[in-house]
């Protein structure tokens, strides 16, 4: 089958979080199952691997009431059946750093930028004569895709395509004032609360995707259930319950080429299930990189967007008590100012035990996964989470809050592979850290935990086949 996959970020070209990882790996998994896949994404100014881009000779022209938007379509071939297409536009993407915003907040023209991506993706498929069976959109940035498919592309070559919309994070909805309806020439009859784009008198791009797609998916079975509750539904739980028969929870996988401790170019030494010796070399290097003295004490690592979702405030609250014990904490993250400042203050207060690197640093994130003994993810909510799976693969025991995809991937208990805690509370996190210290004090048990984690298969194979089965079902409807 032909699959058109649309995402606002695609690793390795662009990435702010797990969406980029998934958009890099899932299309590759589908291509390896024999499908022809085209991924469509913006041509941001700062793109890794930009030298790989080639002109396709085709370009877009979209007419909006405020004027015309146009730009060339570029392409990078990844494999025989997989190509990534980039939509270039000097005014929307080419003129700034950052994907969604900068220090001043979200970009004011995000509605135009991602309308261009969503409508432009469909026009690009037509221009390149790629007739998709399935159009797979992801998160609010592509919420207008299924709307455009029904209103604008319903008579052309895309008329028979089925649409799938994946929720990677329900909390980010892309809400804009209702004047955006006129600005983007969206028909006003779509501005209804019951079965349209309206949400509390504003336009909600995520809701557009949820209402108009043929099928919905989210990135873990537990999160699929959670988002149907008022506590985690962000106002959209009613709609999701209404569409529950169309909503599937499919767990993300790990890109096993990118994340493989036996063959990871970012590490000073490689290791695997048969021989874990290299992990100790990584730990020494990790401590050195954070300016900490070599020590046999356990190292707790984190790699995270610094956002409310991730519970880094809880970590900041709990760590001063935890640091009475002989342990080290190292991590890399970037995001909200108060959390960045909190981490720097913690490092200043415990310079011999805490190392923090603020920024987005993929190389360092690999070293943290490899060199740490434990990996901290105290998330308030977590649709899937990838880092805990990377940790398991790297023999680093994850300490996670029992929520969303973390429940579906980490096994607690005495013969598990990780440590789970329930309450979003300092005392629960501290108890989990104490359990980790007890495990660390028992090397043979720690070794068993590590091995059970490393033995797990989180590759995309199984999940890719689940998407494939869903696509087949849709095509048969
Ligand atoms: P989310 O998408 O909610 O941020 P995930 O666990 O699904 O969470 O994915 C996060 C991805 O982003 C992982 O690949 C992780 O390694 C990466 N990442 C997050 N923060 C950083 C950072 N500061 N530096 C490097 N990589 C990061
Ligand atoms: C989102 C979620 C994260 C998930 C990722 C990829 O960013 O926060 O839990 O792993 O998307 O699906």
């Amino acid at each position: 089958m032909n699959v058109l996959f649309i995402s606002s970020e695609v690793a390795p070209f662009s990435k702010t979080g797990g969406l980029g990882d998934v958009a890099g790996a899932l299309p590759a998994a589908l291509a390896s199952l024999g499908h022809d896949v085209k991924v469509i994404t913006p041509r941001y100014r700062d793109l890794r691997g930009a030298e790989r881009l080639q002109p396709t000779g085709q370009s877009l022209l979209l007419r909006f009431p405020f004027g015309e938007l146009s730009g060339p379509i570029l392409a990078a071939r990844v494999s025989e059946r997989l190509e990534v297409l980039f939509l270039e536009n000097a005014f929307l993407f080419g003129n700034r750093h950052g994907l969604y915003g900068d220090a001043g907040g979200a970009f004011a023209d995000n509605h135009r930028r991602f309308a261009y991506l969503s409508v432009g993706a469909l026009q690009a498929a037509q221009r390149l004569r790629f007739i998709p069976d399935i159009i797979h959109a992801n998160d609010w940035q592509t919420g207008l895709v299924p709307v455009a498919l029904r209103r604008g592309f319903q008579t052309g070559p895309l008329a028979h395509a089925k649409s799938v919309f994946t929720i990677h994070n329900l909390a980010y909805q892309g809400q804009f004032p209702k004047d955006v309806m006129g600005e983007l020439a969206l028909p006003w009859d779509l501005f209804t609360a019951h079965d349209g784009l309206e949400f509390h008198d504003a336009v909600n791009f995520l809701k557009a995707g949820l209402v108009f797609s043929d099928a919905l998916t989210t990135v873990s079975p537990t999160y699929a259930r959670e988002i149907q509750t008022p506590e985690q539904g962000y106002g959209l739980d009613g709609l999701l319950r209404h569409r529950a028969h169309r909503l599937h929870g499919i767990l993300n996988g790990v890109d096993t080429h990118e994340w493989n401790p036996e063959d990871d170019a970012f590490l000073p030494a490689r290791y695997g299930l048969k021989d874990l010796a290299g992990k100790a070399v990584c730990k020494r290097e990790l401590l050195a990189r954070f300016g900490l003295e070599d020590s046999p004490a356990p190292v707790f690592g984190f790699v995270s967007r610094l956002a409310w979702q991730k519970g880094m405030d809880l970590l900041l609250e709990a760590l001063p008590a935890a640091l009475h014990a002989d342990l080290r904490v190292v991590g890399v993250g970037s995001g909200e100012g108060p959390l960045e400042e909190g981490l720097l203050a913690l490092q200043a207060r415990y310079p011999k035990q805490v190392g923090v690197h603020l920024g987005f640093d993929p190389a360092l994130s690999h070293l943290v996964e490899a060199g740490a003994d434990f990996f901290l993810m105290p998330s308030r909510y977590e649709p899937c989470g990838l880092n805990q799976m990377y940790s398991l693969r790297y023999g680093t025991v994850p300490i996670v809050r029992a929520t969303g995809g973390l429940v579906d991937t980490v096994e607690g208990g005495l013969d598990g592979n990780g440590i789970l805690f329930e309450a979003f509370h300092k005392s629960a996190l501290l108890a989990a850290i104490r359990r980790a210290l007890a495990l660390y004090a028992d090397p043979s048990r720690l070794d068993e935990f590590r091995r059970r984690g490393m033995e797990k298969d989180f590759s995309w194979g199984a999940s890719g086949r689940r998407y494939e089965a869903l696509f087949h079902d849709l095509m048969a409807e």
Side-chain angles (χ1 to χ4, degrees):
M1 65 179 91
N2 286 351
V3 181
L4 186 70
F5 189 97
I6 310 164
S7 173
S8 59
E9 49 187 90
V10 180
F13 302 100
S14 56
K15 163 171 160 179
T16 66
L19 172 62
D21 289 325
V22 173
L26 170 57
L30 291 167
S32 71
L33 290 170
H35 307 296
D36 284 316
V37 189
K38 301 225 185 281
V39 180
I40 304 205
T41 195
R43 197 287 184 224
Y44 296 109
R45 175 173 175 163
D46 303 317
L47 213 58
R48 253 166 275 136
E51 67 287 349
R52 292 168 60 189
L53 275 53
Q54 302 287 334
T56 60
Q58 296 287 343
S59 56
L60 297 185
L61 175 63
L62 300 185
R63 291 196 176 86
F64 291 102
F66 58 83
E68 288 180 350
L69 290 173
S70 63
I73 308 168
L74 307 168
R77 180 146 298 280
V78 178
S79 66
E80 197 195 327
R81 293 188 175 280
L82 174 60
E83 191 174 43
V84 183
L85 301 169
F86 298 84
L87 307 186
E88 185 168 307
N89 181 282
F91 305 105
L92 301 176
F93 305 118
N95 58 352
R96 64 192 91 184
H97 301 290
L99 269 56
Y100 311 122
D102 56 21
F107 295 134
D109 56 353
N110 272 346
H111 56 295
R112 291 187 182 186
R113 300 172 77 230
F114 294 109
Y116 187 78
L117 171 64
S118 300
V119 184
L122 300 184
Q123 195 182 78
Q126 281 191 341
R127 294 265 153 103
L128 297 165
R129 300 203 158 60
F130 182 73
I131 312 297
D133 300 294
I134 296 292
I135 299 181
H136 188 166
N138 296 273
D139 274 357
W140 73 263
Q141 294 88 344
T142 60
L144 294 183
V145 167
V147 179
L149 196 56
R150 299 238 182 120
R151 300 285 187 100
F153 290 81
Q154 71 277 24
T155 52
L158 305 189
H160 300 293
K162 293 287 163 66
S163 57
V164 176
F165 185 84
T166 296
I167 305 160
H168 296 264
N169 196 329
L170 191 70
Y172 298 88
Q173 300 189 352
Q175 287 197 57
F176 303 98
K178 64 179 168 201
D179 332 336
V180 158
M181 292 295 290
E183 196 181 326
L184 298 177
L186 289 163
W188 277 102
D189 67 291
L190 295 178
F191 194 71
T192 63
H194 171 58
D195 55 1
L197 280 52
E198 182 187 350
F199 189 70
H200 301 297
D201 206 35
V203 186
N204 184 318
F205 278 25
L206 182 81
K207 188 177 175 196
L210 302 185
V211 170
F212 289 95
S213 300
D214 295 311
L216 304 175
T217 75
T218 189
V219 288
S220 71
T222 297
Y223 193 60
R225 287 190 296 277
E226 289 172 345
I227 55 179
Q228 296 179 50
T229 66
E231 295 75 37
Q232 296 223 49
Y234 288 92
L236 293 169
D237 47 294
L239 171 60
L240 289 164
R241 284 195 299 278
H242 177 66
R243 299 216 68 198
H245 60 296
R246 290 266 156 195
L247 170 64
H248 309 263
I250 305 177
L251 201 63
N252 284 333
V254 168
D255 182 337
T256 50
H257 295 295
E258 165 83 8
W259 295 94
N260 179 6
E262 292 182 346
D263 178 30
D264 186 328
F266 292 121
L267 303 184
R270 290 179 269 274
Y271 61 93
L273 254 178
K274 288 201 193 76
D275 183 8
L276 275 161
K279 189 163 170 62
V281 179
C282 295
K283 178 170 173 175
R284 269 201 301 281
E285 169 82 9
L286 178 65
L287 290 171
R289 285 282 281 282
F290 281 94
L292 299 176
E293 266 176 35
D294 194 18
S295 150
V299 174
F300 293 70
F302 65 85
V303 176
S304 186
R305 286 187 293 116
L306 301 179
W308 185 81
Q309 168 190 355
K310 301 292 176 181
M312 287 290 141
D313 50 333
L314 185 66
L315 193 64
L316 284 171
E317 207 188 315
L319 281 179
L323 285 160
H324 288 306
D326 187 20
L327 57 85
R328 308 286 177 267
V329 179
V330 298
V332 45
S334 64
E336 292 167 13
L339 293 171
E340 293 196 343
E341 284 153 27
L343 286 168
L344 289 180
L346 191 79
Q347 175 177 248
R349 190 168 155 201
Y350 300 95
K352 296 198 157 106
Q353 285 177 281
V354 177
V356 172
H357 177 84
L358 297 182
F360 196 89
D361 188 334
L364 194 54
S365 76
H366 282 245
L367 186 63
V368 173
E369 289 288 7
D373 298 297
F374 298 97
F375 193 90
L376 292 157
M377 278 181 92
S379 304
R380 276 193 171 77
Y381 71 93
E382 197 61 75
C384 178
L386 296 168
N387 281 302
Q388 80 282 9
M389 292 193 264
Y390 303 154
S391 302
L392 289 168
R393 229 176 123 67
Y394 278 64
T396 301
V397 178
I399 301 175
V400 305
R401 179 148 177 273
T403 181
L406 299 173
V407 178
D408 298 334
T409 49
V410 178
E411 292 161 26
L414 289 177
D415 55 359
N417 55 28
I419 296 171
L420 289 113
F421 66 98
E422 294 282 340
F424 189 83
H425 196 274
K426 175 180 159 183
S427 58
L429 174 55
L430 282 172
I433 293 175
R434 276 197 300 276
R435 270 149 67 200
L437 294 175
L439 183 61
Y440 193 76
D442 185 346
S444 65
R445 214 159 67 82
L446 175 65
D447 192 58
E448 284 163 21
F449 262 67
R450 286 187 166 149
R451 285 177 191 282
R452 280 193 293 266
M454 294 175 85
E455 275 162 6
K456 279 268 157 193
D457 178 7
F458 288 117
S459 60
W460 267 101
S463 300
R465 275 191 291 278
R466 288 223 172 85
Y467 279 100
E468 182 188 48
L470 170 66
F471 296 171
H472 276 304
D473 288 350
L474 283 173
M475 285 164 65
E477 276 179 3

